Amino acid sequence: MIEEGSKRGKAMVEKRQLFMEMRAQNFDVIRLSTYRTACKLRFVQKRCNLHLVDVWNMIEAFRDNGLNTLDHTAEINVSRLETILSSIYYQLNKRLPTTHQINVEQSIGLLLNFMVATYDSEGHGKLTVFSMKSMLATMCGGKIVDKLRYVFSQISDSSGVMVFAKFDQFLREVLKLPTAVFEGPSFGYTEHSVRTCFPQQKKILLNTFLDVLMADPPPQCLVWLPLMHRLANVENVFHPVECSYCRSESMMGFRYRCQQCHGYQLCQSCFWRGHANGPHSNQHQMKEHSSWKSPAKKLSHAISKSLGCVPIGEPPHPVFPEQAERPQDQPHTIQPKPVANNMNDTMLMSSGAPTPTKSVLESPSRLDEEHRLIARYAARLAAEAGNSTQCPPTDLSFNFDANKQQRQLIAELENKNREILQEIQRLRLEHEQASQPTPEKAQHNPTLLAELRLLRHRKDELERRMSALQESRRELMVQLEGLMRLLKDEEQKQAAQTGGSPHSSPSHGAGCSMPMPIRSTSAGSTPTHTPQDCLAGVGGDVLEAFAQGVPRNLRNDLLVAADSITNTMSSLVKELHSVDDAAEEEESHMRNGGGRDAE
């Protein structure tokens, strides 16, 4: 008795937890009931992690738990409801990356208590199948058009026409959601709710149903449903505009622009709370913006629209075939799993809807689609066998064999899937280990480290040698420049003594045609002694050119000396580059070798 009382007390605390957290958000300050209701239900959706479950995954969960075989009025107890929610959330965690896993137990407890409080207010401990389907299909993630198509498949007859009684039952169930978040006075169910959606009783097909519920504005009783989806789409939208009331320089979410006050714009927080200043009034008409367009984009869009390049009005949803295709009834076949017999839960791709490939690809258990295909093929083979032979025992044995083979194939595919997942995990671990830094690993190879140190020492020696040669080259250039000036002065003196013109000297012309080297910042003063005094430390062709009494063709000699210096420098640079390449190759070899040694 004590244990039962403690469980009951814990359940009461968990039941109130979600509503206490919702009250802490202070949604009641929002003055418009539509936005207030949408914000509350969006909070419940995110707090229970239902926004992470796509509508296609929800339909798949209904099939996996056998709900497609139950009548809408059938009742399920709370324990089975908890089992269904557990399968939904555990499958969700399989699809999510490891860094974004959710708390499954907490999500199950919050959602279970919210559903019980919403649909079992009298405390019977049971919910109808239709109540659970309507709630989960409405509050899960995904596109609103996909949700409404699923709802239509639940409330339509075999010919694809909506049944008004079933739609009325859907409104009863779905409008319990606003009532659960204390918005019943604004959006509670009334007897006239159906007539407000479809004023004239007529034949309602899928496209008409979508046109009415996705219109702008939608029916008054369901106006909060598309707004909840728009809230989800604009939560991370940024508007680089300043709010005219709170002066916030940026807006997140919706942006509202006054149609009467020029340039007056409000963020969603100020608009929802009814803030206004200056000439603006809350009675002015406001336009809601869910995205930001620069003035240039607005101008180009207006020009394209005026020229007819952009369609003026786009349909709110794709147009689907009016006559939905239905699966053939095959009561004589034995199905291992009723995955394709019930139109209400297959959504039959039949109304022209695209197949839910996205959810299948995102799910790690992608073999479920193969399982369904195998089941369909087995059913088709069984039907063909039944048509060809009229012996019931033969049909049953054939179907039993096909069912057995199918189960064996499913088991093999599941084993293969597990092996693939294990291989992926192993490769991921190997990749993480390989991506770690390797210098520590290379410390265990002293031979490679010794060779690397020798190469670095050789590189340092060559760099010092190259620096010394650069200094020698600079000094030699300074001396050559001094020698050229002395030679020019000597030729001018000889020309003055003989009375000739300096321009008639061929050697002077040759000296003037030689390009002067670039001066270094550390160049010394110009020599004032004889050429022999400046030749100290200069050898090779330059010494031979000035050592004799009669000057030779100095231009050619100086060019030869410059070529010799250039060749020496180039050979030194090549040697230095070869050492660098060898060092780099050795470092790369050491890294690769270290990685292999570590493995």
Side-chain angles (χ1 to χ4, degrees):
M1 292 294 294
I2 298 176
E3 184 178 357
E4 184 178 354
S6 62
K7 288 183 179 180
R8 198 174 288 175
K10 183 180 179 181
M12 289 297 295
V13 172
E14 292 178 350
K15 182 177 181 180
R16 297 175 180 174
Q17 179 182 354
L18 184 62
F19 295 101
M20 293 174 62
E21 293 180 2
M22 185 178 65
R23 287 185 182 275
Q25 299 296 320
N26 201 18
F27 290 123
D28 290 330
V29 300
I30 302 176
R31 64 186 183 95
L32 298 177
S33 60
T34 303
Y35 287 95
R36 192 168 58 244
T37 305
C39 288
K40 290 181 178 180
L41 291 177
R42 174 63 177 168
F43 172 80
V44 174
Q45 182 191 48
K46 294 181 67 176
R47 189 65 183 85
C48 297
N49 290 312
L50 279 175
H51 66 294
L52 302 176
V53 184
D54 190 80
V55 61
W56 298 108
N57 302 125
M58 194 65 73
I59 297 170
E60 185 178 1
F62 294 160
R63 289 198 299 263
D64 292 341
N65 288 276
L67 297 181
N68 57 328
T69 61
L70 300 178
D71 189 79
H72 284 172
T73 59
E75 294 182 342
I76 58 176
N77 54 28
V78 177
S79 60
R80 184 175 181 185
L81 175 61
E82 185 176 2
T83 303
I84 296 172
L85 298 182
S86 300
S87 66
I88 293 173
Y89 283 116
Y90 280 113
Q91 288 296 326
L92 172 63
N93 255 359
K94 290 181 180 180
R95 295 189 296 269
L96 294 176
T98 55
T99 56
H100 293 76
Q101 297 287 299
I102 65 170
N103 189 337
V104 174
E105 297 298 331
Q106 185 183 34
S107 300
I108 294 173
L110 291 175
L111 182 56
L112 180 64
N113 290 320
F114 179 76
M115 294 181 67
V116 171
T118 303
Y119 295 100
D120 187 28
S121 58
E122 298 180 358
H124 297 303
K126 294 182 179 181
L127 280 73
T128 64
V129 173
F130 190 64
S131 299
M132 190 192 65
K133 286 185 176 181
S134 301
M135 185 274 174
L136 293 178
T138 303
M139 294 295 292
C140 68
K143 298 180 180 179
I144 186 173
V145 62
D146 296 332
K147 294 183 180 181
L148 293 177
R149 286 181 51 234
Y150 175 72
V151 170
F152 185 81
S153 70
Q154 300 292 299
I155 62 176
S156 58
D157 57 15
S158 58
S159 60
V161 179
M162 187 189 77
V163 179
F164 275 86
K166 292 184 178 180
F167 179 67
D168 180 75
Q169 182 63 28
F170 167 74
L171 289 182
R172 287 177 184 270
E173 303 299 337
V174 78
L175 292 181
K176 289 180 181 179
L177 294 173
T179 304
V181 293
F182 315 106
E183 296 297 333
S186 300
F187 299 105
Y189 172 80
T190 63
E191 296 179 356
H192 306 287
S193 298
V194 176
R195 294 305 169 198
T196 59
C197 298
F198 302 98
Q200 300 177 359
Q201 185 174 1
K202 55 184 178 180
K203 185 178 180 181
I204 306 299
L205 300 177
L206 175 61
N207 291 317
T208 307
F209 180 79
L210 296 177
D211 290 339
V212 172
L213 269 64
M214 297 184 65
D216 189 15
Q220 181 60 30
C221 61
L222 294 174
V223 68
W224 51 269
L225 181 58
L227 179 58
M228 186 178 70
H229 287 79
R230 295 205 306 273
L231 279 174
N233 294 331
V234 302
E235 283 182 347
N236 299 319
V237 174
F238 174 76
H239 304 268
V241 182
E242 182 183 12
C243 178
S244 300
Y245 183 85
C246 66
R247 299 302 176 186
S248 176
E249 296 182 355
S250 60
M251 301 182 189
M252 294 295 293
F254 286 119
R255 173 172 54 91
Y256 298 90
R257 182 165 55 89
C258 182
Q259 301 298 293
Q260 299 182 25
C261 304
H262 177 70
Y264 192 90
Q265 302 189 80
L266 293 176
C267 62
Q268 68 177 18
S269 178
C270 293
F271 175 75
W272 289 354
R273 286 159 177 77
H275 294 162
N277 58 348
H280 178 70
S281 171
N282 289 331
Q283 305 302 323
H284 291 181
Q285 184 180 2
M286 303 290 286
K287 185 175 182 180
E288 181 183 278
H289 295 272
S290 58
S291 62
W292 163 256
K293 289 183 180 179
S294 63
K297 286 186 177 180
K298 290 180 181 178
L299 179 60
S300 62
H301 182 76
I303 294 174
S304 301
K305 189 175 180 180
S306 63
L307 295 177
C309 301
V310 178
I312 298 177
E314 297 182 356
H317 64 85
V319 179
F320 301 103
E322 293 292 347
Q323 186 64 32
E325 296 181 1
R326 301 284 165 170
Q328 295 181 358
D329 293 330
Q330 298 173 350
H332 60 281
T333 59
I334 298 177
Q335 296 282 345
K337 197 176 183 181
V339 294
N341 283 343
N342 194 320
M343 163 61 190
N344 292 339
D345 285 329
T346 55
M347 284 281 304
L348 256 182
M349 340 287 178
S350 60
S351 327
T355 57
T357 56
K358 181 179 179 182
S359 62
V360 173
L361 291 177
E362 291 177 351
S363 172
S365 57
R366 293 180 295 179
L367 298 177
D368 292 345
E369 184 66 20
E370 298 179 7
H371 298 172
R372 288 191 290 272
L373 292 176
I374 293 172
R376 293 176 187 174
Y377 293 151
R380 184 178 301 175
L381 291 173
E384 293 176 356
N387 294 333
S388 59
T389 60
Q390 300 296 329
C391 183
T394 305
D395 291 342
L396 292 176
S397 61
F398 177 79
N399 292 330
F400 179 77
D401 294 339
N403 189 13
K404 183 178 178 180
Q405 294 176 1
Q406 175 191 351
R407 286 198 301 269
Q408 292 177 354
L409 181 58
I410 290 174
E412 293 176 0
L413 292 175
E414 290 177 349
N415 293 332
K416 188 174 182 180
N417 184 38
R418 282 193 292 268
E419 294 176 359
I420 292 174
L421 292 176
Q422 293 175 359
E423 182 68 16
I424 291 174
Q425 185 68 18
R426 185 184 65 81
L427 293 176
R428 185 180 299 168
L429 293 175
E430 291 181 359
H431 176 71
E432 292 177 355
Q433 294 175 359
S435 62
Q436 295 179 355
T438 57
E440 294 83 359
K441 301 176 183 178
Q443 293 179 357
H444 302 288
N445 196 335
T447 304
L448 294 177
L449 290 175
E451 293 180 0
L452 181 61
R453 283 195 293 268
L454 289 176
L455 287 174
R456 288 177 177 173
H457 181 68
R458 175 63 175 167
K459 179 182 178 182
D460 294 338
E461 289 182 354
L462 290 176
E463 288 179 349
R464 289 194 296 269
R465 182 181 173 189
M466 183 175 182
S467 300
L469 288 176
Q470 287 280 10
E471 185 65 21
S472 301
R473 180 176 179 272
R474 180 188 62 76
E475 294 176 358
L476 180 59
M477 288 299 180
V478 173
Q479 293 177 2
L480 289 176
E481 184 178 1
L483 292 176
M484 289 297 296
R485 290 186 177 180
L486 291 177
L487 178 61
K488 181 178 180 181
D489 294 341
E490 185 67 25
E491 290 178 353
Q492 289 178 354
K493 291 178 181 179
Q494 292 179 2
Q497 292 176 0
T498 57
S501 174
H503 297 285
S504 62
S505 174
S507 60
H508 175 75
C512 292
S513 62
M514 176 182 177
M516 298 296 293
I518 300 176
R519 289 178 179 263
S520 175
T521 55
S522 60
S525 60
T526 304
T528 56
H529 303 287
T530 60
Q532 286 77 6
D533 296 333
C534 298
L535 294 178
V538 180
D541 295 330
V542 177
L543 179 62
E544 182 181 355
F546 290 97
Q548 300 177 3
V550 181
R552 294 169 49 189
N553 191 344
L554 295 179
R555 179 176 181 272
N556 294 333
D557 294 335
L558 291 175
L559 290 176
V560 171
D563 292 340
S564 177
I565 294 172
T566 303
N567 293 333
T568 304
M569 292 296 297
S570 63
S571 61
L572 182 61
V573 170
K574 289 180 179 179
E575 185 175 358
L576 182 60
H577 287 173
S578 64
V579 173
D580 290 339
D581 295 339
E584 292 178 359
E585 292 179 0
E586 190 65 27
E587 290 179 356
S588 175
H589 175 69
M590 183 185 66
R591 288 195 296 268
N592 297 333
R596 287 191 296 270
D597 294 340
E599 292 178 0

